[in-house]
Amino acid sequence: MLSFGLMTLSLNHEKGYFYELAKRAQSHNIQCFRFVPSSIHPLTQKVNGEQFNLTANGWEPCEFPIPEVIYDRCFYSDDSHSSQCKAIVKWLKTRKDILFLGHGLPNKLHLYDAIANTSLSPYLLHSMPLSSGEKLIQSLSPQQAVVIKPVNGSQGRGIYLLKITSNELHVQTDKLTTHLSRTFASSRSAIAWLNRLISNQDYFVQPYVNLRYEGNVPFDIRTLIQKDEKGNWREICRGIRTGMRNGIISNLRAGGSITSFESWIHTLPESQSEFICNELDEVLSRIPIILDQKFPPLFELGVDIGVSDNGAIWILDINSKPGRTVALTLKPELTEILFNAPLLYGKTLKIRERSHSNEEIFSIRNS
């Protein structure tokens, strides 16, 4: 039976998702475990975690060897536990006896740098590191607002919209379901705030593009793409996420809502909707191919696309550890596909590894 590890920074994270995976695992001859990287004993290399008991329909504490296949669902912050776990995961990825479902992507700025010179470049917003508050304030103009984002950000946290008018800096952000704004009357106070912000974590800067729907509502197109059990990329679902009125992000954690892509695209003139659909199809087909060329193997992607008021398409974010809320909300008929996909692809990886090992043994014996 194949051992399949669900790895996260806390056993309380994604409990519902892990339960749905685990209860389907035995039908694929897979035993599911869940664990935290820091729970691996450095000497015995045994793991203190939990094993899924199908009879009891739940998780049970146990000690077990490091699973053969690992599904990495770790979402890191800037705390010491995240740093510890990052180092352990880096070590795990060097081991030839362990297969990762996907190896993940680098931070947002490194990802931008890696694909800025590919055929995706026309769809990218120019991004550069935020090195100091002074330099940013000096570069701002009333004609171009900017957005600053954490390099290692996720779920829409820590994103700010900055606009300068005369001698004032206006800052907006969304926190959970609240839209906040603040005005700095002097450049000195604005610079001090920015420098405090970047002293805690790294940020980068992008030009602001109006990505809003009717009624001044921010929106984007979230697409889930996964590899099937044969290792071929497949688009699973495409949906619209809308944020709060007058807000700046459409992330669901910040009070966003979900509607179908079809209901939105049909509100547009036929010529515009046809252009957008063709552009989306082209971009979404290129992204996984280019990322597979640039980075270690991936399993799934959540791609966020913005459409500006002039119809231009922009890649806002590419996430290698996407959620499934949009897909499950819009297409509940995909439930079995979504909860079986990681297990089936994990089996494929193991079969390929065994086949490769057998070929090497056969080659050595006949050399």
Side-chain angles (χ1 to χ4, degrees):
M1 185 173 279
L2 177 66
S3 62
F4 190 95
L6 303 165
M7 184 175 68
T8 185
L9 295 190
S10 168
L11 296 182
N12 291 320
H13 289 176
E14 299 197 288
K15 292 172 73 173
Y17 180 42
F18 288 173
Y19 169 76
E20 295 295 339
L21 288 177
K23 74 178 185 179
R24 290 167 171 81
Q26 190 163 317
S27 65
H28 301 296
N29 198 32
I30 293 174
Q31 176 64 60
C32 262
F33 302 88
R34 65 177 183 176
F35 68 99
V36 176
S38 56
S39 66
I40 300 174
H41 194 284
L43 296 179
T44 65
Q45 295 190 14
K46 292 290 183 69
V47 187
N48 283 310
E50 295 179 343
Q51 173 180 316
F52 190 78
N53 185 324
L54 188 63
T55 304
N57 195 34
W59 297 96
E60 298 176 341
C62 73
E63 185 182 67
F64 49 89
I66 299 172
E68 300 166 272
V69 176
I70 293 177
Y71 187 16
D72 180 3
R73 297 291 295 179
C74 293
F75 295 91
Y76 301 108
S77 300
D78 293 321
D79 57 278
S80 58
H81 183 240
S82 287
S83 298
Q84 178 191 11
C85 288
K86 270 186 183 179
I88 295 169
V89 172
K90 185 177 181 180
W91 164 71
L92 287 172
K93 288 179 178 178
T94 65
R95 291 186 47 159
K96 295 183 178 180
D97 59 331
I98 298 171
L99 296 170
F100 273 76
L101 219 58
H103 283 253
L105 290 169
N107 69 46
K108 298 180 189 302
L109 199 52
H110 288 160
L111 177 60
Y112 169 82
D113 290 338
I115 62 178
N117 293 317
T118 70
S119 62
L120 296 176
S121 61
Y123 305 98
L124 300 176
L125 292 167
H126 179 70
S127 302
M128 58 185 299
L130 173 49
S131 57
S132 76
E134 291 88 347
K135 288 184 179 179
L136 179 59
I137 294 299
Q138 290 170 6
S139 68
L140 291 179
S141 73
Q143 290 74 37
Q144 179 62 68
V146 300
V147 174
I148 61 172
K149 302 177 181 179
V151 166
N152 293 299
S154 64
Q155 299 182 323
R157 296 187 185 97
I159 296 176
Y160 296 88
L161 169 61
L162 279 61
K163 296 179 180 179
I164 194 167
T165 56
S166 62
N167 293 320
E168 293 184 334
L169 177 69
H170 300 274
V171 179
Q172 300 176 54
T173 189
D174 294 338
K175 291 191 176 181
L176 296 178
T177 57
T178 304
H179 178 68
L180 304 174
S181 62
R182 180 178 180 182
T183 299
F184 293 92
S186 73
S187 59
R188 179 180 296 179
S189 58
I191 289 169
W193 171 75
L194 284 165
N195 285 335
R196 283 195 302 271
L197 192 69
I198 63 177
S199 68
N200 294 320
Q201 59 181 322
D202 294 332
Y203 270 75
F204 67 102
V205 187
Q206 292 179 329
Y208 170 72
V209 179
N210 187 27
L211 307 172
R212 295 176 185 270
Y213 195 38
E214 295 176 357
N216 203 29
V217 174
F219 84 105
D220 65 17
I221 303 165
R222 160 55 69 95
T223 302
L224 176 63
I225 308 173
Q226 281 185 331
K227 284 181 178 175
D228 61 20
E229 60 183 301
K230 295 181 180 179
N232 299 315
W233 286 105
R234 296 285 184 263
E235 182 177 322
I236 306 300
C237 183
R238 190 183 296 185
I240 301 294
R241 302 186 306 177
T242 54
M244 71 183 92
R245 189 175 302 277
N246 301 318
I248 63 170
I249 63 173
S250 53
N251 194 278
L252 299 180
R253 186 179 176 275
S257 58
I258 301 167
T259 54
S260 72
F261 174 80
E262 291 75 17
S263 66
W264 170 74
I265 200 71
H266 288 152
T267 65
L268 305 178
E270 184 176 351
S271 59
Q272 187 179 12
S273 64
E274 184 178 353
F275 170 79
I276 289 174
C277 286
N278 289 338
E279 284 284 280
L280 281 172
D281 291 343
E282 180 66 23
V283 171
L284 292 169
S285 66
R286 287 189 211 171
I287 286 174
I289 295 171
I290 289 173
L291 295 184
D292 266 344
Q293 293 170 347
K294 294 283 185 179
F295 302 106
L298 299 160
F299 162 59
E300 58 190 348
L301 297 167
V303 182
D304 298 337
I305 302 285
V307 181
S308 60
D309 46 14
N310 64 358
I313 287 177
W314 301 99
I315 299 172
L316 304 179
D317 196 14
I318 304 174
N319 182 0
S320 60
K321 298 173 185 177
R324 281 145 188 78
T325 304
V326 172
L328 289 171
T329 300
L330 296 176
K331 295 188 176 181
E333 67 272 17
L334 296 176
T335 296
E336 290 304 313
I337 292 174
L338 288 168
F339 292 138
N340 281 289
L343 302 168
L344 293 172
Y345 186 59
K347 286 187 70 172
T348 296
L349 289 178
K350 195 63 183 177
I351 290 169
R352 285 179 179 174
E353 182 200 49
R354 288 170 179 164
S355 175
H356 182 67
S357 297
N358 289 338
E359 287 176 1
E360 287 185 339
I361 293 170
F362 181 80
S363 175
I364 291 170
R365 287 176 176 175
N366 288 274
S367 60

